[in-house]
Amino acid sequence: VEASQENQQFSTFSSVMQMNVGSTSLVDRLIAPATTTMIAAAGGTGKTSLAYEVMEAITTGQPAFGEFETKQANVLVIQGDESMVNARKKWTRMDLAPDESRVKFLWDWNASRLKELEAEIVKDKRELVIFDSFGTLFCGGGEALNDPTAGMYIYELNKMAARTGCAMVVTHHLGKGSDRHADDEGKERTPTQKDIFGSAYIFNGARD
């Protein structure tokens, strides 16, 4: 606590108001710098493909989905939901063509590496880290997601985002039964925060 950079540098109201957090969105109306964004949806709806599309757009500086303006930047993708073979097949189907000099992939991950990750973000000047997905990378995909401490990882990622200016995007799943597209009366159903799988702290820790 005594060595905390946040406590030392931002102990006054004016120092917080004057801090430089970056004003340019990585993806217009979708991903902001220095914050944590969670993308939660039912399984098989394309969360990973969406993440790869965003990675391609940001590394090349091209509009995401042909519509949303992007800032060209270095990206790190931490993949826990599929293997290199799975990814290769998906990239081929998607005809993906990122700027290879601006993207790095990690296929093996442990949540105890957060401090090392922060050092790597600074060293490699990464402006976006994509975690796919929260359950497999931080909680082993099991019942631990219901433990309130699971959400503490999201809070830590958000603090890291603030310290480094890097945007964090975390994909996550909905709970069992929350993937229905219609309610019992057949009306279109929109998922809510209560549908997110696991502790409420997981939702509350993300900023967007």
Side-chain angles (χ1 to χ4, degrees):
V1 173
E2 291 176 355
S4 169
Q5 184 182 49
E6 290 93 334
N7 287 347
Q8 292 178 6
Q9 295 186 5
F10 304 107
S11 60
T12 65
F13 180 84
S14 60
S15 64
V16 173
M17 295 301 292
Q18 293 170 12
M19 68 184 295
N20 180 17
V21 296
S23 58
T24 304
S25 296
L26 290 179
V27 179
D28 186 38
R29 292 175 285 165
L30 184 64
I31 301 174
T35 193
T36 298
T37 300
M38 176 170 285
I39 299 173
T45 54
K47 295 184 295 297
T48 299
S49 296
L50 184 147
Y52 289 150
E53 287 274 6
V54 167
M55 175 273 294
E56 179 188 43
I58 291 179
T59 60
T60 60
Q62 298 299 311
F65 318 111
E67 180 176 355
F68 302 102
E69 291 300 314
T70 63
K71 174 188 176 184
Q72 191 173 30
N74 295 334
V75 180
L76 173 63
V77 179
I78 303 178
Q79 182 55 262
D81 276 12
E82 59 183 22
S83 70
M84 297 83 74
V85 173
N86 302 146
R88 184 178 185 274
K89 290 180 179 178
K90 187 170 292 182
W91 297 347
T92 301
R93 289 199 304 269
M94 296 173 66
D95 196 24
L96 217 61
D99 182 339
E100 287 197 60
S101 68
R102 289 185 173 272
V103 61
K104 177 180 178 180
F105 298 91
L106 295 181
W107 305 96
D108 193 14
W109 167 258
N110 189 292
S112 65
R113 292 194 67 252
L114 283 177
K115 285 190 176 182
E116 290 84 354
L117 173 63
E118 184 166 353
E120 183 174 333
I121 288 171
V122 174
K123 177 176 70 72
D124 295 341
K125 298 180 180 179
R126 304 285 172 189
E127 294 188 55
L128 172 64
V129 178
I130 297 172
F131 298 86
D132 187 38
S133 65
F134 177 70
T136 52
L137 292 172
F138 290 93
C139 300
E143 288 302 313
L145 282 165
N146 293 314
D147 193 312
T149 58
M152 296 301 106
Y153 287 117
I154 299 293
Y155 283 92
E156 286 303 314
L157 289 179
N158 201 52
K159 291 179 181 179
M160 186 189 302
R163 288 192 296 266
T164 61
C166 181
M168 310 288 181
V169 169
V170 184
T171 66
H172 191 37
H173 297 276
L174 301 182
K176 186 177 181 180
S178 298
D179 57 351
R180 295 180 301 159
H181 299 294
D183 60 20
D184 293 336
E185 298 178 355
K187 295 179 181 178
E188 185 176 350
R189 182 181 179 281
T190 301
T192 69
Q193 69 180 75
K194 294 181 180 179
D195 293 318
I196 293 177
F197 185 29
S199 165
Y201 284 99
I202 295 172
F203 170 85
N204 294 332
R207 298 298 91 191
D208 192 14

